[in-house]
Amino acid sequence: MRFDLLSLELFVAVCEEQSIAKAADREHIAASAISKRISDLEARLKTPLFLRGSKGLELTAAANSLLYHARVVMRDLRQMESELSNHASGVRGHVRVYASVSTIIQHLPRDLREFLALHDAVRIDLQEGTSQQALEAVAENAADIGVFGGVVPRQGLKIIPYRVDRIVALVHKDHPLADRTIVKFAEFTDFDLIGPMKGSFLDSLVLRAASDLARSLRMPVRVNGFETVFSMVEAGLGIGLVPEKCAERYVTSGNTVAIVLDEPWAERQWNLCVQASQTMPPPVRLLLNHLTNSETR
């Protein structure tokens, strides 16, 4: 059974956009042309690939299987094109990394800077998301390396320890807890807490800790990103939870204070994940080895 590359590329676009019209806009092609390609694929496979749902097109089991393999094919094709077309200039391909915002803020910038200084022929496509999204991206071949924490990984992924960080409490200088050097999470229940992004590693830790206390939390505001948390704390809207390295920058404003959070879960383990069953392209292997050994440098 033969598949042409353009049809596979358009199929991947439809899956990711969950809409033929949006895929057409993204790929700069008529929607009718994409519909014809999808119909031809379904005829060749003798099975439907999409079902129409309230939120757009829904993938069938066959479509999910085809999407997995199509992404492998497109990744390998891009790798081949990049290595061959740019051989004279030494470019050897690119690596797709999907990482949690915490690691993008704290660890990856320095690690990627060091890596690119050693391997300036490699290009890196870095995307930000939750830990769960990072795992899913690698499992579905939408990324080569994922950086995640606190999520039980699915089968088929190889997990490698990456970094450890510590969460601290950030409060306004006029907050009742501002004169403290150390605080327990149970004390937060008497105050407003700036809620972390839903689905994030930190969100899971906070919700589990609240459940253990059997007390509800007052979270009038939920935000995405530690800079936003800092802004909310500086405005006096509640207690923020941020990585210690971020807090070191924020307290220089003079309006906020960082307090040690005396809880075992305040120390967080971050991991790397890759496909366990696939042979990694050389650039992916180079970056993975670099990140694996980054803590010792």
Side-chain angles (χ1 to χ4, degrees):
M1 185 179 294
R2 289 189 172 186
F3 297 92
D4 70 271
L5 295 174
L6 179 58
S7 292
L8 289 179
E9 186 174 3
L10 295 176
F11 165 75
V12 171
V14 173
C15 290
E16 292 177 347
E17 299 294 338
Q18 292 186 294
S19 164
I20 289 177
K22 290 180 181 179
D25 289 339
R26 167 176 142 182
E27 300 297 326
H28 307 291
I29 189 173
S32 58
I34 294 185
S35 294
K36 178 64 166 57
R37 294 267 182 177
I38 297 299
S39 296
D40 290 345
L41 279 175
E42 291 177 325
R44 188 171 298 145
L45 294 169
K46 299 180 180 178
T47 186
L49 295 173
F50 299 100
L51 300 174
R52 292 194 176 275
S54 58
K55 296 183 180 180
L57 296 179
E58 297 180 3
L59 280 65
T60 63
N64 278 303
S65 179
L66 180 58
L67 177 62
Y68 177 91
H69 293 290
R71 280 174 167 160
V72 173
V73 170
M74 302 311 296
R75 180 202 65 185
D76 291 346
L77 180 63
R78 285 193 296 268
Q79 184 77 26
M80 180 187 72
E81 289 177 339
S82 181
E83 290 182 9
L84 294 179
S85 65
N86 297 289
H87 190 271
S89 62
V91 176
R92 298 179 183 175
H94 77 283
V95 185
R96 302 166 301 164
V97 180
Y98 207 117
S100 167
V101 63
S102 286
T103 56
I104 291 178
I105 291 175
Q106 298 182 87
H107 310 304
L108 282 173
R110 189 193 73 178
D111 291 342
L112 295 181
R113 181 195 66 202
E114 293 176 351
F115 175 80
L116 292 173
L118 296 171
H119 308 283
D120 60 355
V122 177
R123 299 293 176 260
I124 296 173
D125 177 11
L126 177 61
Q127 293 194 53
E128 172 189 315
T130 65
S131 291
Q132 185 63 50
Q133 289 170 334
L135 283 166
E136 291 174 355
V138 174
E140 296 170 4
N141 275 303
D144 301 304
I145 298 175
V147 190
F148 74 99
V151 181
V152 178
R154 62 178 69 183
Q155 292 184 343
L157 298 182
K158 180 179 179 180
I159 309 303
I160 305 165
Y162 176 46
R163 291 294 188 92
V164 173
D165 70 5
R166 172 164 281 279
I167 291 295
V168 299
L170 191 70
V171 300
H172 191 274
K173 63 180 181 180
D174 297 328
H175 193 278
L177 296 177
D179 61 346
R180 300 279 295 278
T181 57
I182 189 168
V183 66
K184 299 288 289 185
F185 183 73
E187 298 176 73
F188 290 0
T189 57
D190 295 327
F191 305 99
D192 288 340
L193 177 68
I194 307 301
M197 179 177 64
K198 287 187 177 182
S200 66
F201 184 11
L202 183 55
D203 184 44
S204 66
L205 292 174
V206 168
L207 293 180
R208 189 179 305 122
S211 176
D212 291 342
L213 291 174
R215 295 178 65 182
S216 60
L217 296 174
R218 288 158 38 188
M219 289 193 291
V221 181
R222 272 187 179 270
V223 299
N224 181 13
F226 298 121
E227 291 290 341
T228 311
V229 172
F230 165 63
S231 297
M232 297 295 108
V233 172
E234 193 174 39
L237 293 178
I239 301 171
L241 296 175
V242 300
E244 188 173 28
K245 288 187 177 180
C246 294
E248 291 172 359
R249 299 201 307 269
Y250 301 149
V251 297
T252 59
S253 71
N255 294 321
T256 58
V257 177
I259 309 171
V260 173
L261 180 57
D262 184 20
E263 298 292 344
W265 54 264
E267 185 172 279
R268 304 186 298 176
Q269 173 67 52
W270 295 99
N271 301 306
L272 307 171
C273 67
V274 294
Q275 284 276 350
S277 59
Q278 289 190 10
T279 301
M280 284 183 284
V284 177
R285 189 183 309 110
L286 279 173
L287 179 56
L288 182 64
N289 290 339
H290 181 86
L291 294 177
T292 301
N293 298 318
S294 63
E295 189 65 30
T296 62
R297 287 197 302 277

